[in-house]
Amino acid sequence: MTQFDKPRIFAVGGAHLDRRGQSLVPFVPGASNPGIMREEPGGGVFNALRLAVQRGISAEILSVRGGDRIGEIIAAAIQSAGISDGSVVYMDRPTPSYTAILDECGDVVAAIADMELYELVLPRQLTRRKVRDAIAIANAVFCDANLPSEALQRLTALAGERPLFALAISPAKVPRLAPVFARLTCLFMNRREALALTGLGPQAKSAELYQSLRAAGLAGAVVSNGGDAVLAFMHGDAFTISPPAVSEILDVTGAGDALAGGTIAALMRGAPFDAALREGLAASMLTLKVHSASARFSQHEFDSALAQIPEATALT
C-alpha cells in the first residue's frame, strides 16, 4: 500500500518536549526522591499520530514550536515518524513542554504543562490557505484540547462533514471542547476528565456517566479508567471492555494517546467501533510496558496483545 492509498488524517495540537522524572523509591511528597529523568518528543496529538501511522494511516500535523534546540528535536521526530509537518516556527519563542513527576509505579503524581505558545498562535494558524487545502484532502480531522475554544470551533467549521476526533488532554482543558460536542465523532478522555465534564462524583457508575455525557451532547466517546473497564459509546451503542492486567507497568505517559491513535486508525480502516477499541487497547497496553510515550512494536507483538483484549460487553 502506498502513502496515497492509505486513509489520511489531518491533526492540530500538541507536539512538544515531554520531560519525566520517576522516583526509584516509594514517592514522598515534599521531599527529594532518588530517581531518573527522561525526555523525548511528545504531545497528545503527536503521540496518537505516531501510533496511527504504525497502524496504516497517513497523517499531517499542524502545531507550533519555537526556534530553539527543542524545536529542532521535535521537527526531526515528526519527520522520523513519517508524518507530514505543516507546523509553524516562531523564532523568538520557546517550544512548549510538559514536565511530569512519576512515582515508583510509573503513575503521575504532579505535572506542569508550559503550553502558552499554543494559546497565543494556534488559532490564527487555522486561517491559512494551506490548512484549508490540507483538510480538503483528508479523510478525517483530529485535535486536542491544547487549542483554545475559539480555535476548536474554527477547526470544526473547516472539517465540514469529515469525522472529527478529539483528545481531552486534562480535566482543566476538556471543557474547551464543549461548544463542539455535537460535531465530535469521538472524544477520548479518562475518567477524571469525564467527571470534570459532567460534575458527577467519584462513585458514579458507568451507566450514569454515559447518560450524563450523552446529555451534554456527545455522540461518541471513549472513557478510560486505568486498569478498570473502559466505557465507550457511539450513536447510542454503549459498551465496556475490561482490559487485562498489565504486569510491569513502566510508565503510564502516552497510554491514553496510544488508545486514541490505535482506535482512530482502525476506524479509518473500516473496523466496527468495538473492534477498533480493542485495537486501541492493545496499543495502549504495549505503551505501558516501555519507557516511552510512543511505543514501537512488531505486527506479531501487536497481534499477541490484541489476542488478550476481551470482547465488548453491552452496557446495562
Side-chain angles (χ1 to χ4, degrees):
M1 181 181 289
T2 68
Q3 186 78 358
F4 298 102
D5 294 327
K6 298 176 181 179
R8 185 173 183 83
I9 192 165
F10 178 79
V12 185
H16 48 257
L17 189 72
D18 274 351
R19 299 185 183 94
R20 298 193 296 282
Q22 183 170 2
S23 179
L24 296 177
V25 299
F27 183 79
V28 179
S32 177
N33 293 268
I36 186 169
M37 289 294 300
R38 299 181 179 90
E39 63 179 35
E40 65 173 337
V45 153
F46 183 38
N47 289 337
L49 284 188
R50 285 187 282 185
L51 196 291
V53 167
Q54 282 195 70
R55 301 298 302 151
I57 301 302
S58 173
E60 178 173 350
I61 188 171
L62 167 63
S63 192
V64 290
R65 55 181 178 264
D68 50 14
R69 179 190 64 86
I70 295 174
E72 294 173 358
I73 292 172
I74 302 305
I78 293 173
Q79 181 179 22
S80 177
I83 298 169
S84 299
D85 190 6
S87 303
V88 178
V89 178
Y90 286 80
M91 298 304 296
D92 61 340
R93 297 278 186 173
T95 299
S97 66
Y98 170 80
T99 303
I101 302 299
L102 313 178
D103 65 17
E104 70 283 3
C105 297
D107 291 322
V108 177
V109 294
I112 297 294
D114 182 2
M115 310 288 179
E116 184 182 23
L117 191 61
Y118 296 146
E119 308 280 341
L120 291 175
V121 301
L122 263 180
R124 76 182 72 159
Q125 297 308 319
L126 295 176
T127 65
R128 297 162 57 205
R129 173 65 181 272
K130 287 185 177 180
V131 173
R132 296 194 296 274
D133 291 345
I135 291 175
I137 62 172
N139 303 104
V141 177
F142 180 37
C143 63
D144 64 32
N146 283 311
L147 281 71
S149 191
E150 169 196 353
L152 290 165
Q153 293 175 69
R154 184 174 295 166
L155 180 64
T156 299
L158 292 171
E161 297 304 311
R162 294 169 182 80
L164 178 61
F165 303 100
L167 266 176
I169 296 297
S170 71
K173 289 183 176 180
V174 67
R176 299 175 175 188
L177 289 157
V180 300
F181 275 178
R183 268 290 292 117
L184 292 181
T185 303
C186 188
L187 171 59
F188 294 86
M189 58 188 143
N190 61 37
R191 184 174 170 86
R192 290 191 303 275
E193 291 155 351
L195 293 177
L197 277 179
T198 61
L200 293 173
Q203 303 305 315
K205 306 288 188 183
S206 291
E208 295 176 89
L209 202 53
Y210 164 62
Q211 294 294 341
S212 188
L213 291 170
R214 286 282 286 160
L218 280 171
V222 171
V223 183
S224 59
N225 188 21
D228 294 328
V230 175
L231 166 66
F233 64 88
M234 189 173 287
H235 303 302
D237 179 21
F239 57 87
T240 61
I241 298 179
S242 297
V246 178
S247 60
E248 298 184 22
I249 294 176
L250 296 182
D251 191 337
V252 300
T253 309
D257 304 334
L259 172 62
T263 304
I264 291 169
L267 287 171
M268 292 183 68
R269 298 194 319 269
F273 187 37
D274 58 343
L277 182 57
R278 289 183 67 244
E279 291 201 22
L281 285 167
S284 180
M285 185 167 70
L286 289 168
T287 303
L288 289 169
K289 295 182 176 183
V290 298
H291 281 300
S292 174
S294 178
R296 299 288 302 179
F297 43 79
S298 67
Q299 184 64 47
H300 174 71
E301 289 171 322
F302 183 81
D303 290 342
S304 296
L306 182 59
Q308 299 176 54
I309 307 298
E311 298 295 328
T313 300
L315 183 67
T316 57

